[in-house]
């Protein structure tokens, strides 16, 4: 009986540990998405373009879905794993042309970099830069999805033709506004960023050894 209780306690400890890791991972991903929004709006402010609002829950959910999809299939034409165009994800989450938007765009990237590295990479790519600075857009959704060997990043942009959700930039433009197309490109070149080595934090390793050391001592 005592051995069974010890086994149950060991399993419970593992469940709690992995649950903690999952929570920390989710919080970390949310933090990366928020950083992408902040950095994107900082680039727009430099050009005197209104800030994008990240308050459209449907757009955020669609962006997260796309981040999970490019972990499965990363294509330069932005097609989805089932072969459909990337923009169909908006339909899946209840966003309809004319009613909810008049212009849309998508930026994608893959690689274990910081949010700043990813946004810088997009800004150094003409097609992605146009999406980021396009004054027709007023909403942004960001998806970040981490796998064992990479991180997938997605920006979805939406313009509703009403200018709602945007705010006046707090800083004056440092350069002349970049000319952007009147409508967002329906496809943009994929932006692949090679992976780098990813190391677990010291805190994670301590938890790992404490948990499994305790289980080993019990058995």
């Amino acid at each position: 009986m005592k051995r069974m209780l010890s086994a149950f306690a060991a399993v419970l400890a593992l469940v709690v540990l992995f649950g903690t890791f999952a929570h920390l991972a989710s919080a970390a991903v949310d933090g990366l998405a928020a950083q992408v929004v902040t950095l994107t709006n900082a680039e727009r402010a430099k050009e005197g373009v209104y800030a994008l609002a990240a308050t459209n829950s449907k757009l955020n959910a669609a962006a997260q879905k796309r981040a999970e999809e490019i972990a499965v299939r990363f294509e330069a034409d932005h097609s989805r794993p089932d072969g459909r165009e990337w923009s169909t994800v908006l339909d899946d989450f209840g966003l309809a042309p004319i009613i909810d938007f008049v212009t849309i765009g998508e930026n994608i990237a893959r690689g274990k970099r910081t949010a700043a590295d990813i946004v810088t990479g997009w800004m150094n790519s003409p097609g992605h830069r146009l999406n980021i600075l396009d004054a027709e857009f007023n909403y942004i959704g960001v998806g970040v999805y981490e796998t064992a060997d990479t991180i997938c990043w997605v920006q979805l942009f939406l313009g509703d033709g009403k200018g709602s959700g945007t705010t006046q930039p707090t800083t004056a433009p440092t350069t002349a506004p970049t000319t952007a197309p009147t409508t967002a490109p329906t496809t943009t070149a994929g932006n692949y960023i090679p992976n780098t080595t990813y190391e677990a934090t010291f805190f994670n390793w301590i938890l790992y050894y404490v948990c499994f050391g305790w289980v080993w001592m019990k058995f």
Side-chain angles (χ1 to χ4, degrees), residues 22-190:
H23 177 74
L24 291 173
S26 177
V29 166
D30 290 343
L32 290 175
Q35 289 175 41
V36 170
V37 173
T38 299
L39 292 165
T40 297
N41 280 331
E43 294 295 341
R44 290 170 69 90
K46 292 176 185 177
E47 302 295 332
V49 184
Y50 278 27
L52 296 166
T55 55
N56 189 316
S57 59
K58 293 180 179 179
L59 190 64
N60 288 325
Q64 186 59 37
K65 178 65 175 179
R66 287 291 293 133
E68 294 169 9
E69 289 182 346
I70 66 171
V72 177
R73 176 179 175 177
F74 187 90
E75 298 291 342
D77 66 359
H78 290 229
S79 58
R80 304 179 69 184
D82 61 7
R84 290 185 294 164
E85 292 186 1
W86 68 267
S87 57
T88 60
V89 74
L90 300 177
D91 299 328
D92 294 348
F93 286 88
L95 293 169
I98 307 304
I99 298 174
D100 297 303
F101 62 83
V102 294
T103 182
I104 54 175
E106 177 183 73
N107 286 345
I108 62 176
R110 187 170 64 180
K112 290 211 167 180
R113 294 287 195 271
T114 65
D117 290 335
I118 294 299
V119 173
T120 297
W122 280 329
M123 287 298 293
N124 289 333
S125 170
H128 299 87
R129 179 185 175 90
L130 284 176
N131 275 341
I132 289 174
L133 300 180
D134 193 337
E136 296 291 322
F137 296 138
N138 49 320
Y139 287 97
I140 185 174
V142 175
V144 180
Y145 183 72
E146 185 171 8
T147 68
D149 57 1
T150 194
I151 301 177
C152 300
W153 311 74
V154 171
Q155 288 178 313
L156 287 181
F157 301 93
L158 180 151
D160 62 8
K162 305 171 187 175
S164 58
T166 55
T167 58
Q168 184 75 31
T170 56
T171 57
T174 55
T175 59
T178 300
T179 302
T182 55
T183 58
T186 54
T187 59
T188 55

Side-chain angles (χ1 to χ4, degrees), residues 4 11-12 17-19 28 35 42 51 54 62-63 80 88 93-94 126 149 155 160 163-164 169 181 191 198-199 205:
M4 290 179 63
V11 171
L12 182 61
L17 177 61
F18 289 132
Q35 289 175 41
R80 304 179 69 184
T88 60
F93 286 88
D149 57 1
Q155 288 178 313
D160 62 8
S164 58
N191 184 39
Y198 185 68
E199 297 179 355
W205 281 115

